[in-house]
Amino acid sequence: MATKDQNQELTIDDLKTEMKLTDEQLNTVIKEPDLPELAACFDNVHKGYLEKLELLPGEQTDVRTRAYVDGTLAGMLLALKYWILTNGLDATFQALLLIILSLLKENVAVQVCKYLSDKCSTSCPPSRERVLLNHKLSSYRDYLQSRYISTSATQWSPVPTNKVFKLAMIQKEKIQRGRIDDEYFRLSITGKIDDILLQKTPVNLINIFSEIRDRRRNFVLIEGAPGSGKSTLALHICQEWAKGKLFQEFDIAILVRLRDPLVRDASTISDILPCTNKAMANETETAIMSLYGKGVLWVLDGWDELPSYLPRDSIINKLIRPDMSRESPLHESAVIVTSRPSSSAELHPLVSSRVEVLGFTPHQLEQYFTECLEGDSQAVQTLLERIRENPMVEGSCYLPLNASIVVNCFLSDNHSLPTSNHGIFTSVVQNSLKRYLQDRLGKTTPVGDITSPDSMPSEIRTQTVQMCQLAYHGIEKNKGTFSDSDLAALHITKEISNIGLLQTVPSIISDGHLVYYCFLHLSIQELLAAIHISLMSSKTQISVFQKLFGNPRFSAVFQFYAGITKLSTSRPILSLLPRFLCPVPATVFDLVRKIVKTEKEKAVWYGEPKPLLLSLINCLYEAEDLQLCVFVANLLNHNIDLDNTTMNPIDCLSVGYFASACSNTSNGFTLSLHSCSIGDQGCKFLARGLSKCSHSHSQISLNLSKNDFQEEGIHHIAEIIENTSSISELNLSHNPIGSSGLSTLCEALSTNTSLKGLDLSNCSLSLDDHGAIPRLLNTNTILESLDLSYNVIGNTELKNLCEALSTNTSIKSLDLGICSLTISDDNGAALYQLLNTNNSIEHLYLYGNTVTSCRHIAAGLAVNKTLRILHLNSCKLTDQSIEELSTGLISKIKTLYIWGNDSITEDGMKTLARHLTTHCSELTVLWIPGHLRFCIETVFRDANKERKRNGLPEINVLCTRDLIDQ
């Protein structure tokens, strides 16, 4: 029998020729397979052949050649034919395989393959080698089970017995911004860089493998924000497996903490296996590789903690890369990887499915507190009330880690809570030191101020100072784990691990010895590093921050530094003086200038996020320095542009505080938060921050467009309007506020005395006899600009709106563009009434609606004395419409837009031009359809000459091409 080189692709024609098979044989279809008959065929086949055949969909491999084919139907057909060709199988086996080939066309091959696989496992006695391999893995399984069950999660006490892991399977469909209707999206979206803007469906942990759609490989990515419980979940998976409650289809589950320094340097499987000694690791590696990783579940925790320089050929990369099926002997392993979403994009094309760990909902948070406080309902309610009074704490408690810290602070500090992010983690450090003094040393000595070690007891002073030094070293080198060599290089004693902040974690084996590495929680590390910097001289502090400026953790450290020092080294009064009068040495103001300059340069690129500026504003909130806020506002020319910068609730609180602090100056203030995904919660915290400017003498222009908030968010926006007298412009466009939200907003505006501009465009409003807007215009005498474009306005609402405006004396600009209106002889009277009776509107937008008759508009224009600009572009105007409109152009109109009306012809332009030679004395700008551009040099050139002879100003005639050029 002729064969081809194994690297050369075999075609169907090649196989048909070699096997002497006809198309009729290959196309044989068996509708209802008879499994007993197949079993009889199976029993007549030599068992050696079956050991060479892995009848699993997706990867069909010949043991001798390791020939690989993909998991498509064509690939499976080709694989089976390849075995027939290369193995010289007897006629019985050929017949069996041909039957399977025919069944593939009926999509039942998986059932048959499973039957044959099970039959093989029961009828073929295992070889002596397989028995030895299973024995080795059995011993290793016992070791892992014992290890996991005895390991406790790294959490701040108290730890509840019922762990809350709310998971959602991430789908591929994107959420449409402004139309969020996915429950699991709303539960997890907070407006941060780690938010996942895709649809999600609920999933139980036990089903994360069974619900995989792509069966090429069992590879699940678990994502979640920092503190959402990913590491706890990774350990929980292995513990539940060890107890026989989860994933029992796997013989062994191997947890690998990717932050482990030895893991990063690993080059073989044995290097990453948790074992008691090297010999055990080597034996286990041999067994796993001999089985091609079958029956092994790898739980790789912390992909985001791997360094970017990790070599492509590292063992960790080989575990997850798609080409590992050809190169690695572990291609049958299952893999779970945890990561922050901001660091996992490169894994998305490789994984079979993505799962998100959601944060606590308010109900789950209350359940969590109830268990932590042992069912004391009064204490739970007290805690919840304290949290609601404290926006900084409330905004962070959706993360399980932060919630556990807060409840621990509540228990340890006589039911009091910190008031800032700095205070939350300072409390963690102080309580850890307190436990060390009491439990380890039996002393009740007060801990003192950790930011001033001289005030601390001698028993903990040295360890605290050294811990701060180690943390600063970690920030410099961007690392969170430390080895004994790191401690020795910094002349730090191992005793610092006694105080409970530096967690000693058993590592993988090294040279046959069990070793440990030290892990310092990243937020604690950033706090302690900030303390270390704050103890330096003022000049050194700033030079250190100048050096750390490009460090990825600069912002977090600087924010803690602001909370510790209150930026007191800045000497704000002196800094406001000219440098030649007061040559102040380099201070924090120089650093602030650098941050502002860096973010201003980004403004050159439209829509560039500005996370560093946002971090600075968070620092100002921590420092509570009003003079420094004013200093920053002056540097920014009182224009804060954070467009497209994702913001969480705490960010919104800080920005609101900053605006309230700066709005008490005589200058105006612009705050733009377009497309920041702040959501309903963000609106709540922004309102809290802005509420401080209720007695402001300044005017704030606030842009909140495209931020995904709905009726609940509008409720908080209404609070801003009711509690402040400083908001002069408010843009709420592209937010689905709904009818109820609109009513709430209008009710708040009915008594407002500061808002002059309101943009409600594209807010998914259906205004037909709703009444909220007309009622507002009947009571509010301050509003000057109203934009209702891209909503749906019915005839009834148009009539009510025009009636309300007939007596309103404040509205100067009204935008009704693309509101699904049809202006005809039947309903045009409402617009006539508006133009005839209103004495304030100067700018009217009607673009994008359908205008079938201009008679009423023309009649209104003929008597109107205030309208200056009229937009009728893209209104389906015709030559007849232009003739009707011309009769009314005797008013004080200065600019007229009629571009985008493709039905207008040259005759229509001639009609308009003839009328303009003697009328509309103040018209200076006319926009015409682009297809009539030639009329500018012909029809309107002559009209302008005639206007000049009649003593009228020349009209600047433009078309849509000019609009694009502008």
Side-chain angles (χ1 to χ4, degrees):
M1 181 179 294
T3 61
K4 289 197 173 190
D5 184 85
Q6 70 181 52
N7 294 322
Q8 184 177 356
E9 182 180 1
L10 290 169
T11 66
I12 296 295
D13 289 336
D14 292 333
L15 293 166
K16 285 167 58 178
T17 302
E18 291 290 344
M19 295 303 301
K20 299 178 180 178
L21 299 174
T22 65
D23 290 335
E24 183 178 357
Q25 288 175 303
L26 287 175
N27 293 331
T28 302
V29 175
I30 299 177
K31 296 293 184 180
E32 296 180 1
D34 190 345
L35 289 183
E37 289 186 14
L38 288 175
C41 293
F42 178 88
D43 291 334
N44 292 327
V45 175
H46 190 275
K47 302 300 186 294
Y49 295 140
L50 292 174
E51 292 180 356
K52 299 175 183 178
L53 181 63
E54 300 175 55
L55 291 171
L56 294 174
E59 292 176 356
Q60 314 291 345
T61 307
D62 181 85
V63 173
R64 296 178 305 170
T65 62
R66 298 194 186 281
Y68 173 79
V69 295
D70 59 35
T72 64
L73 176 59
M76 295 173 70
L77 288 168
L78 185 60
L80 290 168
K81 293 175 182 179
Y82 180 81
W83 283 307
I84 295 175
L85 176 65
T86 58
N87 293 325
L89 304 180
D90 57 38
T92 305
F93 203 13
Q94 286 188 35
L96 174 60
L97 292 179
L98 286 174
I99 291 173
I100 295 176
L101 288 177
S102 65
L103 291 174
L104 280 170
K105 298 183 180 181
E106 295 299 309
N107 200 27
V108 294
V110 173
Q111 301 175 29
V112 178
C113 290
K114 184 179 185 306
Y115 176 84
L116 295 179
S117 179
D118 294 341
K119 185 76 174 177
C120 180
S121 62
T122 57
S123 60
C124 299
S127 64
R128 182 174 181 276
E129 181 182 3
R130 179 60 63 95
V131 172
L132 292 175
L133 291 175
N134 289 336
H135 176 70
K136 291 177 182 177
L137 287 184
S138 177
S139 300
Y140 187 55
R141 179 172 58 248
D142 294 341
Y143 165 75
L144 288 177
Q145 289 172 337
S146 175
R147 179 186 177 111
Y148 294 147
I149 292 174
S150 62
T151 302
S152 59
T154 304
Q155 284 184 316
W156 312 112
S157 58
V159 180
T161 56
N162 290 326
K163 298 183 178 68
V164 179
F165 295 118
K166 192 172 184 65
L167 306 179
M169 185 78 75
I170 300 169
Q171 309 300 322
K172 294 185 181 299
E173 297 81 12
K174 282 193 174 183
I175 292 289
Q176 183 179 356
R177 282 186 174 276
R179 299 181 185 276
I180 301 171
D181 56 3
D182 185 271
E183 175 190 2
Y184 288 84
F185 177 91
R186 293 198 301 272
L187 289 177
S188 58
I189 181 71
T190 58
K192 304 195 323 312
I193 192 172
D194 283 307
D195 284 322
I196 300 171
L197 303 179
L198 297 175
Q199 288 209 358
K200 301 157 191 174
T201 55
V203 63
N204 292 323
L205 180 59
I206 195 171
N207 296 327
I208 62 173
F209 283 114
S210 61
E211 295 194 12
I212 288 178
R213 297 178 181 177
D214 184 351
R215 280 292 173 187
R216 289 176 299 174
R217 189 160 181 244
N218 285 338
F219 183 4
V220 176
L221 172 62
I222 297 181
E223 298 171 290
S228 60
K230 299 184 298 297
S231 293
T232 304
L233 176 60
L235 177 59
H236 174 74
I237 288 172
C238 293
Q239 289 179 328
E240 292 298 285
W241 167 83
K243 297 174 184 176
K245 298 180 180 179
L246 185 68
F247 299 151
Q248 294 306 290
E249 64 268 32
F250 301 108
D251 297 322
I252 53 176
I254 304 175
L255 175 62
V256 181
R257 303 287 194 193
L258 299 183
R259 69 168 69 108
D260 191 328
L262 294 181
V263 168
R264 300 176 181 182
D265 299 328
S267 58
T268 66
I269 292 297
S270 64
D271 290 336
I272 62 174
L273 292 176
C275 292
T276 56
N277 54 60
K278 190 66 175 177
M280 181 182 185
N282 289 335
E283 289 182 358
T284 304
E285 177 189 29
T286 301
I288 291 174
M289 294 178 67
S290 298
L291 297 172
Y292 312 112
K294 189 174 183 179
V296 178
L297 171 62
W298 296 93
V299 182
L300 309 180
D301 179 38
W303 175 259
D304 50 305
E305 297 182 72
L306 281 174
S308 58
Y309 58 79
L310 194 70
R312 191 78 173 178
D313 60 350
S314 70
I315 190 61
I316 298 300
N317 275 321
K318 282 186 177 181
L319 274 174
I320 67 167
R321 297 295 169 188
D323 57 354
M324 54 80 63
S325 295
R326 299 185 183 186
E327 297 179 358
S328 173
L330 301 173
H331 59 271
E332 291 198 18
S333 299
V335 179
I336 293 175
V337 177
T338 70
S339 178
R340 292 176 54 173
S342 59
S343 302
S344 60
E346 62 179 314
L347 298 180
H348 295 173
L350 315 181
V351 301
S352 306
S353 65
R354 294 168 60 195
V355 174
E356 183 183 9
V357 184
L358 304 177
F360 285 143
T361 62
H363 177 67
Q364 289 173 326
L365 186 63
E366 184 172 353
Q367 285 182 314
Y368 177 85
F369 287 154
T370 299
E371 186 172 357
C372 289
L373 298 175
E374 299 179 348
D376 187 340
S377 58
Q378 182 61 47
V380 171
Q381 291 307 312
T382 301
L383 174 57
L384 292 174
E385 289 173 6
R386 299 279 168 82
I387 289 175
R388 295 188 190 105
E389 295 168 358
N390 192 328
M392 178 63 77
V393 175
E394 184 181 5
S396 65
C397 273
Y398 78 97
L399 291 174
L401 173 64
N402 290 359
S404 65
I405 293 175
V406 166
V407 72
N408 188 46
C409 293
F410 181 75
L411 287 171
S412 305
D413 299 333
N414 297 319
H415 290 191
S416 64
L417 294 180
T419 59
S420 65
N421 193 48
H422 153 253
I424 290 174
F425 287 96
T426 296
S427 178
V428 172
V429 175
Q430 288 180 319
N431 286 329
S432 180
L433 295 175
K434 183 191 296 185
R435 283 196 300 270
Y436 171 70
L437 286 173
Q438 291 178 348
D439 301 342
R440 298 289 294 271
L441 303 181
K443 296 187 176 184
T444 58
T445 310
V447 171
D449 184 1
I450 63 171
T451 63
S452 178
D454 290 341
S455 68
M456 302 178 69
S458 58
E459 294 88 347
I460 57 175
R461 186 182 307 140
T462 301
Q463 293 97 319
T464 303
V465 171
Q466 289 185 347
M467 188 70 73
C468 294
Q469 180 188 356
L470 181 65
Y472 175 70
H473 171 74
I475 296 296
E476 271 193 315
K477 303 300 181 183
N478 194 25
K479 58 190 296 186
T481 57
F482 308 94
S483 61
D484 290 345
S485 59
D486 291 319
L487 301 182
L490 297 171
H491 306 289
I492 294 177
T493 62
K494 294 183 180 180
E495 282 71 22
I496 64 169
S497 60
N498 294 335
I499 60 178
L501 293 173
L502 192 65
Q503 299 156 2
T504 303
V505 183
S507 180
I508 53 182
I509 57 97
S510 177
D511 298 327
H513 301 287
L514 185 62
V515 297
Y516 296 85
Y517 66 91
C518 298
F519 174 70
L520 185 57
H521 186 273
L522 299 186
S523 295
I524 299 295
Q525 185 182 143
E526 289 153 0
L527 169 65
L528 296 179
I531 294 174
H532 182 74
I533 296 172
S534 71
L535 299 177
M536 303 174 180
S537 66
S538 298
K539 187 175 182 179
T540 305
Q541 290 176 26
I542 302 305
S543 65
V544 164
F545 277 118
Q546 295 278 11
K547 183 172 66 173
L548 292 177
F549 192 73
N551 189 294
R553 297 168 69 188
F554 163 84
S555 296
V557 176
F558 188 50
Q559 184 173 331
F560 278 126
Y561 170 85
I564 293 167
T565 65
K566 302 299 179 185
L567 300 177
S568 58
T569 58
S570 61
R571 293 196 283 172
I573 299 299
L574 294 178
S575 69
L576 298 178
L577 298 175
R579 299 301 283 275
F580 69 89
L581 291 179
C582 180
V584 182
T587 66
V588 73
F589 281 86
D590 294 315
L591 185 60
V592 168
R593 286 189 183 94
K594 184 172 183 178
I595 293 174
V596 172
K597 180 182 178 182
T598 301
E599 298 295 64
K600 272 187 172 181
E601 290 172 353
K602 288 183 179 179
V604 176
W605 303 98
Y606 175 75
E608 185 76 13
K610 301 175 183 64
L612 195 57
L613 178 59
L614 182 58
S615 176
L616 173 61
I617 294 174
N618 282 327
C619 291
L620 297 176
Y621 179 86
E622 292 281 341
E624 299 177 330
D625 190 330
L626 297 181
Q627 290 175 309
L628 189 53
C629 288
V630 174
F631 174 78
V632 173
N634 288 331
L635 289 178
L636 294 166
N637 299 321
H638 289 261
N639 182 9
I640 310 300
D641 178 0
L642 290 169
D643 291 353
N644 300 300
T645 306
T646 51
M647 295 171 56
N648 61 31
I650 301 304
D651 296 330
C652 294
L653 175 68
S654 300
V655 168
Y657 165 80
F658 179 73
S660 68
C662 299
S663 63
N664 284 300
T665 64
S666 58
N667 298 312
F669 192 83
T670 300
L671 176 59
S672 184
L673 305 178
H674 166 77
S675 193
C676 293
S677 298
I678 66 176
D680 292 337
Q681 276 291 93
C683 289
K684 174 181 178 180
F685 286 88
L686 182 66
R688 293 193 180 190
L690 283 169
S691 63
K692 298 187 177 182
C693 62
S694 56
H695 303 293
S696 169
H697 304 293
S698 182
Q699 296 295 299
I700 299 177
S701 176
L702 180 59
N703 181 0
L704 296 176
S705 61
K706 202 173 182 181
N707 271 296
D708 301 328
F709 55 77
Q710 303 181 54
E711 292 183 17
E712 181 184 347
I714 283 295
H715 173 77
H716 300 298
I717 299 299
E719 289 180 1
I720 298 176
I721 295 172
E722 291 175 341
N723 298 331
T724 70
S725 57
S726 300
I727 308 297
S728 60
E729 303 283 339
L730 181 59
N731 186 344
L732 300 177
S733 63
H734 293 83
N735 290 295
I737 63 176
S739 297
S740 176
L742 178 64
S743 298
T744 301
L745 180 67
C746 290
E747 184 177 349
L749 283 169
S750 63
T751 57
N752 182 274
T753 58
S754 65
L755 192 71
K756 295 183 178 180
L758 176 62
D759 189 343
L760 293 175
S761 62
N762 213 332
C763 283
S764 303
L765 300 175
S766 182
L767 304 174
D768 193 4
D769 201 21
H770 186 274
I773 296 293
R775 286 194 298 271
L776 168 67
L777 296 174
N778 280 325
T779 56
N780 185 292
T781 59
I782 303 297
L783 198 62
E784 297 180 358
S785 174
L786 178 61
D787 189 342
L788 296 173
S789 61
Y790 291 88
N791 294 295
V792 178
I793 296 180
N795 288 334
T796 302
E797 191 72 3
L798 176 63
K799 179 182 178 181
N800 294 338
L801 182 65
C802 292
E803 286 180 354
L805 284 168
S806 65
T807 57
N808 183 284
T809 58
S810 63
I811 294 292
K812 295 180 180 180
S813 176
L814 177 64
D815 192 339
L816 301 178
I818 312 185
C819 284
S820 301
L821 288 169
T822 299
I823 308 300
S824 63
D825 287 337
D826 294 334
N827 64 355
L831 286 177
Y832 169 76
Q833 179 186 10
L834 170 66
L835 295 171
N836 182 33
T837 57
N838 182 276
N839 294 313
S840 63
I841 292 181
E842 299 177 359
H843 202 152
L844 179 61
Y845 298 82
L846 293 173
Y847 60 88
N849 295 297
T850 300
V851 178
T852 61
S853 172
C854 285
R855 288 193 312 107
H856 287 296
I857 296 176
L861 290 175
V863 296
N864 183 273
K865 299 178 181 179
T866 60
L867 194 65
R868 297 292 179 265
I869 302 175
L870 176 63
H871 289 253
L872 289 172
N873 37 297
S874 301
C875 284
K876 300 181 180 179
L877 300 181
T878 64
D879 288 350
Q880 177 67 29
S881 305
I882 293 298
E883 185 174 351
E884 293 171 350
L885 186 66
S886 297
T887 62
L889 289 178
I890 57 177
S891 64
K892 298 183 180 295
I893 289 286
K894 291 185 176 182
T895 304
L896 176 63
Y897 292 81
I898 57 172
W899 57 264
N901 292 288
D902 296 336
S903 296
I904 300 176
T905 69
E906 183 180 359
D907 290 339
M909 291 296 95
K910 289 179 179 179
T911 301
L912 179 61
R914 282 195 300 270
H915 180 79
L916 293 177
T917 57
T918 56
H919 295 85
C920 219
S921 60
E922 295 190 19
L923 184 66
T924 57
V925 179
L926 173 64
W927 288 86
I928 67 172
H931 71 282
L932 298 173
R933 181 181 179 85
F934 65 91
C935 291
I936 296 176
E937 298 298 328
T938 56
V939 176
F940 289 103
R941 180 185 59 189
D942 296 338
N944 271 326
K945 289 180 180 179
E946 189 67 24
R947 281 177 67 88
K948 188 175 182 180
R949 283 193 290 269
N950 292 331
L952 300 178
E954 183 176 328
I955 298 174
N956 184 19
V957 183
L958 304 168
C959 72
T960 47
R961 186 178 301 174
D962 301 303
L963 181 64
I964 294 173
D965 293 339
Q966 288 187 350

